[in-house]
Coordinates of all heavy atoms in Angstrom, one line a residue:
Y24 N 26.8 62.6 99.5 CA 26.1 62.0 100.7 C 25.2 60.7 100.2 O 25.1 59.8 101.0 CB 25.1 62.9 101.4 CG 24.4 62.4 102.5 CD1 25.0 62.2 103.8 CD2 23.0 62.1 102.4 CE1 24.3 61.6 104.9 CE2 22.3 61.6 103.5 CZ 22.9 61.4 104.7 OH 22.2 60.8 105.8
T25 N 24.6 60.9 99.1 CA 23.9 59.8 98.5 C 24.6 59.2 97.4 O 25.6 59.6 96.9 CB 22.5 60.2 97.9 OG1 22.7 61.3 97.0 CG2 21.6 60.8 99.1
R26 N 24.2 57.8 97.1 CA 24.9 57.2 96.0 C 24.8 57.8 94.7 O 25.8 57.9 93.9 CB 24.3 55.7 95.9 CG 24.9 54.8 94.8 CD 24.4 53.4 94.9 NE 24.8 52.6 93.9 CZ 24.6 51.3 93.8 NH1 24.0 50.7 94.7 NH2 25.0 50.5 92.8
S27 N 23.7 58.3 94.4 CA 23.4 59.1 93.2 C 22.6 60.4 93.6 O 22.1 60.4 94.7 CB 22.7 58.3 92.1 OG 23.5 57.2 91.8
T28 N 22.3 61.2 92.6 CA 21.3 62.3 92.8 C 20.1 61.9 92.1 O 20.1 61.9 90.8 CB 21.9 63.6 92.4 OG1 23.1 64.0 93.2 CG2 20.8 64.8 92.6
L29 N 19.1 61.7 92.8 CA 17.8 61.2 92.2 C 17.1 62.4 91.5 O 16.6 63.3 92.1 CB 16.8 60.6 93.1 CG 15.6 59.9 92.6 CD1 15.9 58.8 91.6 CD2 14.9 59.2 93.7
D30 N 17.1 62.4 90.1 CA 16.7 63.5 89.3 C 15.1 63.4 89.1 O 14.8 62.9 88.0 CB 17.4 63.6 88.1 CG 17.0 64.8 87.2 OD1 16.4 65.7 87.7 OD2 17.5 64.7 86.0
L31 N 14.4 63.8 90.0 CA 12.9 63.7 89.9 C 12.4 64.7 88.9 O 11.3 64.6 88.4 CB 12.2 63.9 91.2 CG 12.4 62.7 92.2 CD1 11.6 62.8 93.5 CD2 12.1 61.3 91.5
S32 N 13.1 65.7 88.6 CA 12.7 66.7 87.5 C 12.6 66.0 86.2 O 11.7 66.3 85.4 CB 13.6 67.9 87.5 OG 14.9 67.4 87.0
S33 N 13.4 65.0 86.0 CA 13.2 64.2 84.7 C 12.0 63.5 84.6 O 11.6 63.3 83.5 CB 14.5 63.2 84.6 OG 14.3 62.1 85.5
V34 N 11.4 63.1 85.7 CA 10.1 62.4 85.7 C 9.1 63.3 85.0 O 8.3 62.9 84.1 CB 9.8 61.8 87.0 CG1 8.4 61.0 86.9 CG2 10.8 60.9 87.6
A35 N 9.0 64.5 85.6 CA 8.0 65.5 85.3 C 8.2 65.9 83.7 O 7.3 66.0 83.0 CB 8.1 66.7 86.1
I36 N 9.5 65.9 83.3 CA 9.8 66.3 82.0 C 9.4 65.2 81.0 O 8.7 65.4 80.0 CB 11.3 66.7 81.8 CG1 11.6 67.9 82.5 CG2 11.6 66.7 80.3 CD1 13.0 68.2 82.7
L37 N 9.7 63.9 81.4 CA 9.4 62.7 80.5 C 7.9 62.6 80.5 O 7.4 62.2 79.3 CB 10.1 61.5 81.1 CG 11.7 61.4 81.0 CD1 12.2 60.3 81.8 CD2 11.9 61.2 79.4
K38 N 7.2 62.8 81.5 CA 5.7 62.7 81.5 C 5.1 63.6 80.5 O 4.1 63.4 79.9 CB 5.1 62.8 82.9 CG 5.4 61.6 83.8 CD 5.0 60.3 83.3 CE 3.4 60.2 83.2 NZ 3.0 58.8 82.7
E39 N 5.8 64.8 80.3 CA 5.2 65.8 79.4 C 5.7 65.4 78.0 O 4.8 65.7 77.1 CB 5.8 67.2 79.8 CG 5.3 68.3 78.9 CD 5.9 69.6 79.4 OE1 6.4 69.8 80.4 OE2 5.8 70.6 78.6
V40 N 6.8 65.0 77.8 CA 7.4 65.0 76.3 C 7.2 63.6 75.7 O 7.2 63.4 74.5 CB 8.8 65.4 76.2 CG1 9.0 66.7 76.6 CG2 9.8 64.5 76.9
T41 N 7.0 62.5 76.5 CA 6.9 61.2 76.0 C 5.5 60.5 76.4 O 5.0 60.9 77.6 CB 8.1 60.2 76.3 OG1 7.9 58.9 75.7 CG2 8.2 60.1 77.8
H42 N 5.0 59.5 75.7 CA 3.8 58.8 76.0 C 4.2 57.5 76.8 O 3.3 56.8 77.3 CB 3.1 58.4 74.8 CG 3.9 57.7 73.7 ND1 3.9 56.3 73.7 CD2 4.7 58.1 72.8 CE1 4.7 56.0 72.8 NE2 5.2 57.1 72.1
L43 N 5.5 57.2 76.8 CA 5.9 55.9 77.6 C 5.8 56.0 79.0 O 5.9 57.0 79.7 CB 7.3 55.6 77.2 CG 7.6 55.4 75.7 CD1 9.1 55.3 75.4 CD2 6.9 54.3 75.1
P44 N 5.5 54.9 79.8 CA 5.4 54.9 81.2 C 6.8 55.2 81.8 O 7.8 54.8 81.2 CB 5.1 53.4 81.5 CG 4.5 52.9 80.3 CD 5.1 53.5 79.1
V45 N 6.7 55.9 82.9 CA 8.0 56.4 83.6 C 8.0 55.8 85.0 O 7.0 56.2 85.8 CB 8.2 57.8 83.6 CG1 9.5 58.2 84.2 CG2 8.1 58.4 82.1
I46 N 9.0 55.1 85.4 CA 9.1 54.8 86.8 C 10.4 55.1 87.5 O 11.3 55.6 86.8 CB 9.0 53.2 87.0 CG1 10.0 52.5 86.5 CG2 7.7 52.7 86.3 CD1 10.1 50.9 87.0
V47 N 10.5 55.1 88.7 CA 11.6 55.6 89.5 C 12.3 54.5 90.4 O 11.5 53.7 91.0 CB 11.2 56.8 90.4 CG1 12.4 57.3 91.2 CG2 10.7 57.9 89.5
D48 N 13.6 54.5 90.4 CA 14.3 53.5 91.2 C 15.0 54.4 92.3 O 16.1 54.8 92.2 CB 15.4 52.8 90.4 CG 16.3 51.9 91.2 OD1 16.1 51.9 92.5 OD2 17.1 51.2 90.6
P49 N 14.3 54.5 93.5 CA 14.9 55.2 94.6 C 15.9 54.5 95.3 O 16.7 55.1 96.1 CB 13.7 55.5 95.5 CG 12.7 54.4 95.2 CD 12.9 54.1 93.8
S50 N 16.0 53.2 95.1 CA 17.1 52.4 95.7 C 18.4 52.8 95.2 O 19.4 53.1 96.0 CB 16.8 50.9 95.5 OG 15.6 50.5 96.1
H51 N 18.6 52.7 93.9 CA 19.9 53.2 93.3 C 20.0 54.7 93.3 O 21.1 55.2 93.3 CB 20.1 52.6 91.9 CG 20.3 51.1 91.9 ND1 19.4 50.2 91.9 CD2 21.5 50.5 91.9 CE1 19.9 49.0 91.8 NE2 21.3 49.1 91.9
G52 N 18.9 55.3 93.2 CA 18.9 56.8 93.2 C 19.5 57.4 94.5 O 19.9 58.6 94.5

């Protein structure tokens, strides 16, 4: 139904395991 499956769980995981900024692209997502 959507172009991709936007994996927002990855954002929560990345914010926990890395110090780097994390942004989301909901347009392609």
